[in-house]
Amino acid sequence: MTAPVISAQNLSLTFETNDGPVHALKDVTLAVEKGDFVSFIGPSGCGKTTFLRCMADLEQPTGGEITVNGVSPEEARRARAYGYVFQAAGLYPWRTIGGNIRLPLEIMGYGRSDQDARVQRVLDLVELAGFEKKFPWQLSGGMQQRASIARALAFDADILLMDEPFGALDEIVRDHLNEQLLQLWDKTNKTICFVTHSIPEAVYLSTKIVVMSPRPGRITDVIESPLPRQRPLDIRDTPEFIEIAHRVRDGLRAGHGDG
Amino acid sequence: MMRSVLPVLSVVAAIFAIWYVASIGLNKPWAEDKARRAGVELSTSELILDTWSQKKPRLPAPHQVAAELWNTTGAMVQQGRALSKRSLIWHGWITLSSTLLGFVFGTGLGILLAIGIVHSRTMDMSVMPWVIASQTVPIIAIAPMIVVVLASLQVDDVVAKGVISMYLSFFPVVVGMVKGLRSPGAMQMDQMKTWNASRAQTFWALRLPASAPYLFASLKVGIAASLIGAVVAELSLSQDGGLGARMLGGSYYGQTIQIWSALIAAAILAAGLVAIIGLIQRITLKRMGMAA
């Protein structure tokens, strides 16, 4: 057993607002192992995005401890230990798809030929080969989000942090991207933390489902999924799948009851 | 095409109509005065024709201004005297050169100040109020002082006029570029942070390209302001010529037609400059995928 990739101990984050303190996170303890696919699910205000942002050093916790790859989130960020995929694709309209994927590589100082090779590799990975020279506006929303995932994969980060990346997409596109994301996870053996508020999405994708509830933001249940690594879309009709989904729903309801 | 031309033409026609009527009213006293002294009685049509053809009218009629414009531009080109000191092309060129110089100065200063303001909280707090205060000082009051100071420093006249243009044109650039450089959203800035991008990298890759639409909007205002600055500067440095010097000379000798033709020439010049920037804006933003 190796050390966890992400480890949080009694992590708390309190925002001071004009209406008094808001406990975005309170005493959150969790370990994410290498190669895990962890989903964070819960109603809005439960702190799932805040937790992800703490891992990424985009928010500073006010209490407790968190390490990423055994070091502080800031050191991990400086070492470019993770790729972050936001809710919106956030591609630059003045850069081509290839240029957008190249951007973090340019910032990190990869050599020109290395950049070219990496852009090709990740475009293949997200099935966007041939779209390198296209501009973002020439692509559909789903394709743009795939390009933004490719951008997060282009450099050598073992961790992928994803904040509701498919939240704005329709059901059919979302199914397809979920399937692709699983294959990608299987191929690259990355550790993925994935924020969502869709129960089927969380159950379908994850090896571990973290159910959270609001006021204060906390973890109410952690479910280790018994589903195999290889998951065809129709696994969602099996009794195991439905049972896990049930447990997630119960956890969400319990969190709401005392909230 | 017709849909956009028709309203413009109607407005122009209305302006001309008002202009002709106004010149009748304003020039009538002089026409009546002349007639009284000559002891003749003017019919209404004679009176109107006189108000539209006086040598030094209070308000010259449009066709008089048009004729003067032609005589000092096209007609002089036909005579091969395009760059004579009596030609508006020569005066226009003088004004244009200090306008462009001041525009380059002003744009450069404006962008530099905006970069400083966006990146330094101290500059944001200290410089911005002065930038705004600078524009509350009437340019016509400080232009002669700038001329005197720069002349004593042996600075070339064109540069002195450029500095006055700069004084007016840097302001819209600062305001627009501060807004433009701050236009990337929290998500885009966070994204840069996740890549551990330096400030310089964030500036070149994100802030600067994102500010392009704001820059062009500012440049349009800036170049028009720069032209005004050049004209005002020429009132203090009239020995060098320029459209401002033409206006000043005209007002010394009561040459209203000359004043008006210089005014119209300045307006045409400004419109042309703004149109050129508008064209560059359209092409650039379209290529950047940011066309509005």
Side-chain angles (χ1 to χ4, degrees):
Chain A
M1 189 89 187
T2 50
V5 173
I6 295 163
S7 159
Q9 282 292 329
N10 298 321
L11 194 72
S12 295
L13 198 159
T14 309
F15 291 111
E16 294 300 334
T17 70
N18 290 334
D19 303 329
V22 172
H23 300 282
L25 290 175
K26 195 162 163 48
D27 293 328
V28 170
T29 299
L30 183 77
V32 177
E33 307 296 337
K34 180 154 179 51
D36 268 355
F37 195 128
V38 183
S39 284
F40 297 86
I41 189 165
S44 42
C46 72
K48 54 192 192 295
T49 294
T50 309
F51 191 21
L52 201 72
R53 289 173 62 86
C54 283
M55 298 175 197
D57 188 37
L58 296 175
E59 299 289 353
Q60 302 309 317
T62 47
E65 294 237 351
I66 179 167
T67 60
V68 177
N69 280 348
V71 295
S72 75
E74 192 191 347
E75 284 170 274
R77 177 176 66 78
R78 292 195 183 284
R80 284 135 178 173
Y82 66 83
Y84 200 107
V85 180
F86 290 85
Q87 207 164 350
L91 301 173
Y92 295 179
W94 55 86
R95 281 180 173 250
T96 59
I97 295 304
N100 270 287
I101 295 171
R102 201 181 293 276
L103 177 62
L105 301 177
E106 285 170 6
I107 287 171
M108 296 175 192
Y110 286 85
R112 188 78 208 182
S113 58
D114 195 11
Q115 287 179 19
D116 293 340
R118 282 166 183 272
V119 168
Q120 290 309 327
R121 183 172 60 81
V122 292
L123 279 174
D124 280 343
L125 218 49
V126 299
E127 294 178 15
L128 277 178
F131 287 91
E132 188 183 353
K133 300 260 188 302
K134 292 269 188 281
F135 281 90
W137 57 269
Q138 295 170 301
L139 271 62
S140 69
M143 289 161 99
Q144 288 189 24
Q145 197 52 277
R146 257 150 58 196
S148 91
I149 294 171
R151 183 177 53 184
L153 292 172
F155 50 97
D156 295 317
D158 295 330
I159 306 169
L160 199 52
L161 305 177
M162 307 179 86
D163 183 7
E164 290 187 46
F166 309 137
L169 304 174
D170 66 60
E171 198 75 28
I172 298 162
V173 177
R174 187 186 260 230
D175 275 355
H176 183 58
L177 290 184
N178 282 341
E179 214 178 354
Q180 280 188 312
L181 182 60
L182 269 186
Q183 288 163 7
L184 207 141
W185 168 68
D186 194 41
K187 260 188 266 180
T188 57
N189 201 31
K190 286 186 192 284
T191 309
I192 299 182
C193 292
F194 189 97
V195 168
T196 180
H197 48 226
S198 154
I199 297 175
E201 190 172 67
V203 178
Y204 176 64
L205 291 172
S206 321
T207 58
K208 189 186 266 188
I209 303 154
V210 177
V211 183
M212 298 182 73
S213 76
R215 286 177 302 273
R218 65 196 184 280
I219 294 176
T220 48
D221 197 5
V222 178
I223 303 163
E224 301 282 349
S225 172
L227 299 178
R229 256 182 103 91
Q230 305 296 330
R231 301 175 185 180
L233 268 177
D234 52 22
I235 202 169
R236 295 182 299 184
D237 300 324
T238 62
E240 292 90 341
F241 187 97
I242 291 163
E243 197 193 312
I244 305 166
H246 231 86
R247 196 171 148 196
V248 173
R249 193 168 294 116
D250 283 346
L252 289 173
R253 205 170 289 147
H256 249 286
D258 60 349
Chain B
M1 188 64 187
M2 265 325 273
R3 281 234 307 259
S4 59
V5 166
L6 209 61
V8 172
L9 285 183
S10 334
V11 170
V12 169
I15 290 173
F16 274 94
I18 294 167
W19 192 343
Y20 271 111
V21 172
S23 62
I24 295 172
L26 284 162
N27 302 332
K28 199 171 70 172
W30 175 242
E32 286 168 345
D33 203 30
K34 274 191 301 181
R36 200 175 318 115
R37 271 181 287 155
V40 291
E41 196 69 30
L42 289 178
S43 70
T44 309
S45 60
E46 283 171 327
L47 180 74
I48 289 174
L49 284 177
D50 186 274
T51 61
W52 288 347
S53 58
Q54 293 171 2
K55 267 216 158 75
K56 292 185 175 182
R58 284 186 187 164
L59 177 63
H63 67 267
Q64 291 178 288
V65 176
E68 168 77 5
L69 273 174
W70 170 251
N71 287 335
T72 49
T73 54
M76 299 194 82
V77 172
Q78 283 175 350
Q79 297 160 25
R81 296 167 56 216
L83 295 179
S84 134
K85 289 206 173 187
R86 304 178 62 87
S87 132
L88 268 191
I89 296 173
W90 181 77
H91 287 286
W93 165 247
I94 303 279
T95 303
L96 179 67
S97 53
S98 50
T99 298
L100 291 180
L101 189 68
F103 177 66
V104 170
F105 284 172
T107 305
L109 176 68
I111 291 175
L112 285 179
L113 282 176
I115 292 171
I117 287 169
V118 167
H119 286 92
S120 150
R121 194 169 157 68
T122 318
M123 268 193 81
D124 188 16
M125 306 290 272
S126 60
V127 175
M128 207 56 191
W130 288 104
V131 168
I132 293 163
S134 75
Q135 301 304 302
T136 62
V137 180
I139 184 71
I140 196 99
I142 52 167
M145 292 190 281
I146 293 176
V147 167
V148 169
V149 169
L150 291 181
S152 73
L153 295 172
Q154 312 280 315
V155 173
D156 197 77
D157 281 358
V158 182
V159 178
K161 287 186 280 187
V163 168
I164 293 164
S165 286
M166 174 187 79
Y167 191 90
L168 289 187
S169 64
F170 87 99
F171 179 68
V173 179
V174 175
V175 175
M177 280 303 278
V178 166
K179 202 160 162 48
L181 293 174
R182 283 185 178 150
S183 65
M187 194 203 84
Q188 286 178 306
M189 295 305 287
D190 279 346
Q191 194 173 54
M192 278 290 178
K193 197 178 170 191
T194 67
W195 297 329
N196 196 23
S198 68
R199 278 180 155 209
Q201 286 170 331
T202 305
F203 175 78
W204 290 111
L206 175 59
R207 284 189 192 270
L208 194 63
S211 72
Y214 297 84
L215 176 64
F216 280 110
S218 301
L219 291 184
K220 279 187 188 168
V221 183
I223 198 147
S226 185
L227 183 91
I228 292 171
V231 168
V232 170
E234 283 160 1
L235 301 181
S236 300
L237 282 164
S238 59
Q239 69 274 17
D240 297 340
L243 295 175
R246 277 294 271 198
M247 292 174 205
L248 190 67
S251 72
Y252 280 155
Y253 302 108
Q255 297 288 352
T256 46
I257 299 177
Q258 180 184 322
I259 298 175
W260 278 87
S261 59
L263 267 177
I264 300 291
I268 292 170
L269 194 58
L273 291 171
V274 171
I276 290 171
I277 292 180
L279 189 70
I280 299 171
Q281 173 183 33
R282 277 225 303 280
I283 295 169
T284 312
L285 293 188
K286 196 166 176 208
R287 288 197 55 170
M288 288 179 74
M290 295 168 89

